[in-house]
Amino acid sequence: MKVLIVEDDFDTADFIKRGLEQNGDVAHHVGTAQQGMILATSEEFDVIIFDRLLPNMDGIDAVRILRGSNVATPIIMLTALSETVDRVSGLDAGADDYLVKPFDFSELYARLKALTRRQPLKQEALSLSIGDLVLERTARKVSRRGQALDLNPKEYQILEYLMMNPGQLVTKTMLLEKVWGFNFDPKTSLVQTHVSRLRNKVDKPFETELIKTIRGSGYILSDHD
Amino acid sequence: MTNRLKTYDFKNACLFTGVIFIICSALFALCGTFIVNSITQEQELELAELSEELKSQYEEHGLDWILDDLELDDRPIWGRNESLERLDEHDNLFKVVQANRLLLGSQLSFNADDNPTWQTISFDSPQQFDVLTIRIDLGDALHVTMLQPKSYESRFIAAAIWRLYFYFISLFVVFVVCTILFIQYQNQAKLSQTKKALIEIAKAPDSTRLPVPKRASCDRDIAESINAMLDAIADLHGNMKTMSVGIAHDLKTPLSRVANRLQSMQHDINDPNLIETHLNHASNDLSAVISTFNNLVRLNSIESGQHKEKFVKLNLSELIYDLALSYLPVFEDSGRILEISTVNDVICFGDADLLSQLICNLLENALEYSNNDAHVWVRLQSHTGSALLQIGDNGPGIAKIDQPHVFERFYRADISRSKPGNGLGLSIVKAICQVHDARLDLLPEQKGAVFNIEVPTSN
């Protein structure tokens, strides 16, 4: 993965860069919106990390300009402002995702992966499958090893999101955002409870476990160990 | 801090008095001129009438009749001294002239016009006479010239006005200066009392207040409104204090745990397994601190009302039902029962994310504080113009003493702060209700904690 980091805070940039390099990815860092825009238009990147508050220019304006000049690279915005209103304006400007500082590196990485792996085919595909697990979108039916599974709407949505990002870490916050539409963090184990119920239906009756828990981070759906 | 008169008090008094003096003088001048003018005009009219009468008398009866009319028996000729005497005694002087020959009357020479005219004539004496003159042509080259000094009435009134003006103004100026100084003195006394009281208040702003006069007056209104303002500021101050204590406490506990973990890591530096455990715990504790700050930022942004711009019409029934349904397994796993009963299609104007948080926070409050086998319910009913959402449990409820404070920031019924959470959940609930113009109540006299929220609807 080749990542462009536009961030004026060098500590944060360094933290992200080191994390990415440890995972074998390539990271370029620039400190101003202008440099970021020049690089984003002249080089190919898999994903761009754009800070919201940059010297001389609002990150939102920079993203709007990039989208205006047909740069289609996925963009994730970082901000210290945790507000829905800002989140919405960031997404309106053309960013693909939005993350509030301070964040966990695994959270950022999971989101970067989700952005780069999101192939158009997966979005539109009529059916998704992992190993012997099949999800049919038109009929909203899920089956494993040919055996139909009875999922409630939330369980179905969780599984659908996990299957759209196979082998990738999906965090609790991502599920809260995508499945429940929450931009805040409920204290209790809402996500854990639903995932555990989902696992009881998807994994428990079968030998191989598909939904794996990464403690403190989230879940990975994969048919490999 | 004295209540003595200040230099500016004297300046003000002089200024006020000066203004009043000018206004009074102008009024006197206006009224005096008007009165004196009307008297002299009357005199002119009378003289004009007299001249008309003389003319008609002459036409009918000849010159002798006129002599009768002027109370004269023969045809006297008055020299200069006689003329002046007569002017003084009889208030009039005249001469009858025919073809430049003086038939009778004064030898003094003076000119006159056909209309009554005022003139100032000295007749070669040191005295000046303000006289009204007229010339009456009787025909046959015969004419009468008359002059009248200013009437006694007019002279008296003019003098009276001048005297009145002098006495009045001199007394009045003294009176006005004294009155103004007295009022200023009283004001200074009141002001210095207020200043003293304010200095006392500054020493203990939460408890000391301005003394309120018993009698209804402007001073009482001001004292009451200043006291009301001080009460409001004291409330804010109290909130700030609770908040800073809350922040300090909520930071201190997890941060000292992190410090402890760091020490333990130093101790267990050679054991990778233990290091990982310490790291996880330290990271969780720091997450708690960050979460507290996130909630504070969120609370402030909700209170600022910026979300109102994004309000849309939404189906409250669906939102509540879906959310409650999501929580059903969470309650089930905790051994509690969640009962959901909502009416359909309640439409309101609001922000779905905020309303979701409102319901989540109340449900999590129930999860946190209700009995382990509690019965918890979410009910939504509609009325005309509003919908009533009730989220409650059957025990143990909130102690009476804590009830008025549950919506305050960082307030926690459990003093030890042993349970997780930061005491902001219900403050956020309150802020969300306020921004939606919804009424939030914690019902009194209940077995458990029962919250009623009345949301305005737009069905």
Side-chain angles (χ1 to χ4, degrees):
Chain A
M1 198 161 56
K2 191 177 167 194
V3 186
L4 173 63
I5 307 165
V6 188
E7 164 67 81
D8 62 321
D9 181 63
F10 281 78
D11 286 343
T12 308
D14 195 46
F15 165 72
I16 300 171
K17 205 173 167 192
R18 262 193 298 136
L20 286 170
E21 282 165 358
Q22 273 171 12
N23 283 288
D25 298 305
V26 182
H28 287 269
H29 167 227
V30 291
T32 64
Q34 285 78 5
Q35 287 173 312
M37 287 192 293
I38 292 168
L39 219 57
T41 42
S42 57
E43 268 185 58
E44 277 287 317
F45 289 96
D46 295 312
V47 62
I48 304 171
I49 301 171
F50 230 110
D51 187 33
R52 165 75 206 271
L53 294 175
L54 287 163
N56 306 328
M57 192 166 192
D58 192 328
I60 284 187
D61 296 330
V63 169
R64 197 171 286 128
I65 293 169
L66 280 180
R67 289 297 184 237
S69 44
N70 294 327
V71 174
T73 320
I75 296 177
I76 180 165
M77 294 211 77
L78 300 181
T79 181
L81 313 161
S82 72
E83 265 329 303
T84 335
V85 180
D86 297 301
R87 191 187 300 265
V88 171
S89 48
L91 298 181
D92 281 350
D96 301 273
D97 204 354
Y98 204 91
L99 190 60
V100 178
K101 288 180 187 175
F103 50 84
D104 220 47
F105 181 76
S106 57
E107 178 78 41
L108 174 68
Y109 199 70
R111 282 163 188 263
L112 291 177
K113 281 285 178 197
L115 284 180
T116 50
R117 279 296 183 90
R118 195 183 287 165
Q119 296 146 2
L121 195 71
K122 280 268 159 63
Q123 291 270 336
E124 308 292 321
L126 291 180
S127 77
L128 300 167
S129 63
I130 295 280
D132 51 4
L133 180 66
V134 180
L135 182 138
E136 283 171 64
R137 279 175 146 172
T138 32
R140 290 181 80 88
K141 274 184 183 162
V142 179
S143 61
R144 190 169 177 186
R145 218 175 281 166
Q147 196 179 320
L149 305 177
D150 180 23
L151 305 185
N152 72 30
K154 284 281 173 281
E155 288 161 358
Y156 175 86
Q157 282 173 274
I158 295 171
L159 187 66
E160 185 184 30
Y161 191 74
L162 288 171
M163 290 182 80
M164 278 163 64
N165 297 285
Q168 295 304 320
L169 175 71
V170 172
T171 66
K172 192 181 124 190
T173 327
M174 286 162 87
L175 286 176
L176 280 170
E177 273 179 38
K178 311 293 174 197
V179 176
W180 277 274
F182 288 179
N183 291 313
F184 59 94
D185 182 16
K187 281 271 103 21
T188 47
S189 47
L190 190 62
V191 176
Q192 290 90 317
T193 307
H194 281 272
V195 172
S196 126
R197 300 256 164 150
L198 176 66
R199 187 180 277 139
N200 283 348
K201 294 175 184 173
V202 173
D203 282 340
K204 214 175 177 184
F206 307 95
E207 293 116 52
T208 42
E209 189 190 49
L210 295 176
I211 303 170
K212 296 168 179 78
T213 304
I214 311 300
R215 269 204 65 201
S217 297
Y219 309 94
I220 292 177
L221 183 73
S222 155
D223 58 348
H224 310 293
D225 281 324
Chain B
M1 204 52 57
T2 61
N3 51 14
R4 256 183 269 144
L5 285 169
K6 305 280 163 52
T7 329
Y8 56 77
D9 290 327
F10 288 104
K11 269 191 200 161
N12 284 347
C14 290
L15 197 73
F16 274 123
T17 315
V19 171
I20 291 172
F21 173 78
I22 290 168
I23 292 173
C24 285
S25 302
L27 277 176
F28 260 102
L30 210 68
C31 295
T33 319
F34 179 73
I35 293 169
V36 171
N37 265 351
S38 64
I39 291 170
T40 52
Q41 266 174 12
E42 212 172 290
Q43 198 181 345
E44 285 165 24
L45 273 178
E46 272 171 18
L47 192 66
E49 270 168 28
L50 180 68
S51 87
E52 289 302 312
E53 201 189 317
L54 277 180
K55 268 186 198 169
S56 62
Q57 291 281 3
Y58 176 77
E59 271 166 24
E60 276 180 41
H61 310 289
L63 189 61
D64 291 339
W65 266 94
I66 297 178
L67 294 179
D68 271 0
D69 209 42
L70 295 171
E71 295 166 16
L72 292 169
D73 299 331
D74 51 1
R75 295 186 178 189
I77 301 288
W78 300 310
R80 186 176 174 276
N81 289 340
E82 280 172 297
S83 296
L84 292 180
E85 253 172 48
R86 189 180 162 86
L87 190 61
D88 206 31
E89 283 168 13
H90 287 81
D91 269 349
N92 68 51
L93 193 68
F94 55 87
K95 57 180 170 186
V96 181
V97 178
Q98 188 165 37
N100 286 333
R101 198 167 57 88
L102 179 70
L103 289 187
L104 63 97
S106 174
Q107 287 180 321
L108 290 174
S109 67
F110 50 84
N111 298 322
D113 205 34
D114 287 342
N115 294 316
T117 318
W118 286 100
Q119 293 183 47
T120 307
I121 306 172
S122 63
F123 302 118
D124 298 326
S125 70
Q127 207 185 339
Q128 296 269 359
F129 296 92
D130 274 332
V131 287
L132 186 61
T133 57
I134 191 163
R135 177 191 156 112
I136 311 157
D137 267 317
L138 299 174
D140 309 328
L142 186 75
H143 72 262
V144 180
T145 318
M146 293 188 77
L147 65 83
Q148 271 186 356
K150 228 178 205 169
S151 72
Y152 171 73
E153 230 181 337
S154 136
R155 274 174 289 154
F156 174 78
I157 286 187
I161 289 174
W162 268 111
R163 203 164 298 155
L164 190 69
Y165 172 70
F166 176 73
Y167 289 130
F168 174 77
I169 288 294
S170 47
L171 284 175
F172 186 71
V173 163
V174 175
F175 173 76
V176 168
V177 169
C178 293
T179 314
I180 292 177
L181 286 179
F182 178 70
I183 294 172
Q184 306 255 44
Y185 178 79
Q186 277 198 324
N187 279 350
Q188 283 290 356
K190 264 186 227 156
L191 266 181
S192 67
Q193 261 183 2
T194 312
K195 278 185 210 160
K196 257 187 222 165
L198 287 176
I199 288 173
E200 289 306 309
I201 290 171
K203 288 178 191 160
D206 287 345
S207 51
T208 321
R209 289 291 174 266
L210 280 183
V212 178
K214 277 189 191 125
R215 265 204 353 236
S217 65
C218 168
D219 295 333
R220 187 167 83 173
D221 293 347
I222 289 177
E224 279 174 348
S225 52
I226 290 181
N227 284 347
M229 178 191 77
L230 286 170
D231 288 342
I233 294 175
D235 275 354
L236 284 177
H237 184 216
N239 281 352
M240 287 287 289
K241 272 203 282 197
T242 323
M243 211 169 103
S244 21
V245 169
I247 293 176
H249 195 282
D250 277 44
L251 283 186
K252 202 182 138 200
T253 317
L255 285 181
S256 37
R257 278 201 234 128
V258 172
N260 292 344
R261 285 286 164 190
L262 289 176
Q263 275 183 6
S264 312
M265 280 164 77
Q266 231 165 14
H267 188 255
D268 303 323
I269 197 105
N270 295 321
D271 185 339
N273 286 337
L274 275 177
I275 291 275
E276 200 185 335
T277 318
H278 295 319
L279 264 176
N280 285 339
H281 279 102
S283 158
N284 286 343
D285 283 326
L286 281 179
S287 298
V289 176
I290 290 163
S291 147
T292 301
F293 276 105
N294 281 343
N295 278 318
L296 261 179
V297 171
R298 178 139 173 118
L299 181 56
N300 284 330
S301 102
I302 295 169
E303 281 176 345
S304 76
Q306 54 169 284
H307 291 262
K308 278 204 161 179
E309 291 165 21
K310 304 266 175 184
F311 274 18
V312 288
K313 260 191 175 184
L314 52 89
N315 189 326
L316 189 66
S317 309
E318 271 176 22
L319 185 135
I320 293 174
Y321 185 76
D322 282 354
L323 251 176
L325 217 56
S326 279
Y327 269 93
L328 210 54
V330 183
F331 275 85
E332 222 171 81
D333 286 0
S334 76
R336 296 171 177 88
I337 299 163
L338 179 65
E339 172 220 311
I340 308 165
S341 100
T342 56
V343 291
N344 287 334
D345 296 329
V346 172
I347 308 294
C348 81
F349 197 63
D351 179 306
D353 189 46
L354 290 185
L355 290 170
S356 302
Q357 187 169 21
L358 175 133
I359 295 149
C360 283
N361 283 13
L362 287 175
L363 287 176
E364 303 209 343
N365 205 60
L367 271 173
E368 193 86 61
Y369 296 106
S370 67
N371 293 328
N372 288 336
D373 57 348
H375 170 213
V376 181
W377 62 89
V378 179
R379 291 171 193 152
L380 178 71
Q381 278 149 18
S382 62
H383 300 291
T384 32
S386 71
L388 189 67
L389 167 67
Q390 186 175 81
I391 297 182
D393 62 63
N394 63 348
I398 300 167
K400 228 178 186 161
I401 191 172
D402 294 320
Q403 284 181 7
H405 305 289
V406 287
F407 299 114
E408 289 171 15
R409 293 168 184 211
F410 289 108
Y411 188 85
R412 279 206 243 163
D414 110 82
I415 298 279
S416 68
R417 292 170 184 262
S418 53
K419 294 213 175 182
N422 45 36
L424 286 174
L426 290 180
S427 305
I428 290 177
V429 167
K430 188 182 167 194
I432 294 174
C433 285
Q434 273 171 350
V435 85
H436 284 90
D437 297 322
R439 188 196 151 95
L440 167 69
D441 287 304
L442 170 61
L443 297 191
E445 314 292 338
Q446 301 288 317
K447 238 174 111 186
V450 183
F451 295 91
N452 261 9
I453 295 157
E454 203 178 334
V455 193
T457 53
S458 34
N459 283 55

